[in-house]
Amino acid sequence: MRRNIAVLFSILVLTLIIAQTSYSNTMSNLEIYVEGSPVENSFTGYARIMFAETLRNYTEVSVYIPFEGGLTIVNITSSNGVLISDYYLENNTVSFLAVNTSEITIYFTVEAVFEEAGIGSYMAFIDLTKYAGIRFNLTMNLAGTYNVEPFYNTRYSNGNTLITITQPGYYPVTIYLTPETTTPAQPSNNQGRTLILVAIIAALAVLLALIFLIRRKK
């Protein structure tokens, strides 16, 4: 009898959990930001999820982090101040349960985003195909000033290169440094006159030496 009651109680609890758990279909905005050095190939960043309405029931949230390479989750926080410690990471997709929150931020580090394509040239592939149907903003803040191909939305600030993408798709990104060219300094007018005067004096000195040698031989 007691065993039957325990089984019924377990089924009831499981039913309640399933009834209160839904899937995240109210995501309204996604903001992804990373910063770091393509040379060191190490980046830190976050993915901030905003929902159209507060998640009242336990909701399963899954977010794809669109960078190839070694991804490590640092922590996950919600707008109600709760730290989410239980999550599942597979193929750069982070999944967890959330409740009573309208915003969640996933902090992460990622290595080996870029591949060296040549001297001062690096390439990365950014997969944003999974973001169709939601508003999102991806910003890559790269240490250094690079030319970007294709250009996308690129700007420069404080010696850094910022690339912003807001449309779903699969993006190959190539960045490269422009070789610096230096122009030899042109002498000033005074320097030019001094050089001419020195050349004349040197020529006169040679001429006088030749005259002296010729007369001496005679």
Side-chain angles (χ1 to χ4, degrees):
M1 184 67 176
R2 290 180 179 178
R3 184 178 178 181
N4 292 336
I5 293 175
V7 172
L8 290 173
F9 180 77
S10 298
I11 295 173
L12 178 61
V13 170
L14 182 60
T15 303
L16 289 173
I17 292 175
I18 293 173
Q20 291 183 356
T21 302
S22 59
Y23 289 88
S24 175
N25 57 3
T26 60
M27 186 184 301
S28 61
N29 285 315
L30 176 62
E31 176 188 353
I32 301 173
Y33 175 88
V34 292
E35 63 180 13
S37 168
V39 178
E40 297 177 0
N41 222 352
S42 178
F43 298 85
T44 61
Y46 64 83
R48 180 167 293 127
I49 312 153
M50 288 147 279
F51 299 96
E53 56 187 26
T54 300
L55 305 180
R56 300 299 181 188
N57 298 321
Y58 282 98
T59 303
E60 182 175 339
V61 180
S62 293
V63 182
Y64 176 72
I65 309 298
F67 302 106
E68 297 181 0
L71 176 68
T72 301
I73 304 301
V74 177
N75 61 52
I76 304 173
T77 61
S78 62
S79 58
N80 58 14
V82 174
L83 182 67
I84 300 171
S85 57
D86 294 328
Y87 62 86
Y88 179 68
L89 176 61
E90 183 179 19
N91 297 327
N92 282 35
T93 299
V94 190
S95 302
F96 50 88
L97 289 178
V99 67
N100 294 329
T101 185
S102 59
E103 183 177 299
I104 294 171
T105 304
I106 304 168
Y107 296 93
F108 60 85
T109 62
V110 61
E111 309 286 336
V113 172
F114 284 88
E115 296 180 3
E116 190 169 1
I119 299 176
S121 177
Y122 306 90
M123 175 174 285
F125 298 93
I126 312 299
D127 185 3
L128 303 177
T129 58
K130 300 180 186 298
Y131 300 146
I134 64 171
R135 289 184 295 176
F136 74 91
N137 183 298
L138 167 67
T139 300
M140 301 179 67
N141 187 347
L142 309 179
T145 303
Y146 296 89
N147 291 311
V148 180
E149 291 184 358
F151 188 74
Y152 301 125
N153 182 3
T154 304
R155 61 188 179 91
Y156 302 93
S157 176
N158 298 323
N160 286 6
T161 302
L162 286 88
I163 304 171
T164 301
I165 303 175
T166 58
Q167 297 297 323
Y170 190 73
Y171 294 87
V173 179
T174 302
I175 61 174
Y176 60 92
L177 293 168
T178 302
E180 295 184 0
T181 57
T182 57
T183 303
Q186 299 295 326
S188 63
N189 290 336
N190 291 335
Q191 290 176 326
R193 294 192 187 99
T194 302
L195 292 174
I196 293 172
L197 182 59
V198 170
I200 292 173
I201 293 173
L204 288 174
V206 172
L207 181 61
L208 290 173
L210 289 174
I211 293 172
F212 175 77
L213 290 174
I214 292 171
R215 288 183 176 180
R216 186 175 181 183
K217 287 180 179 180
K218 290 180 179 181

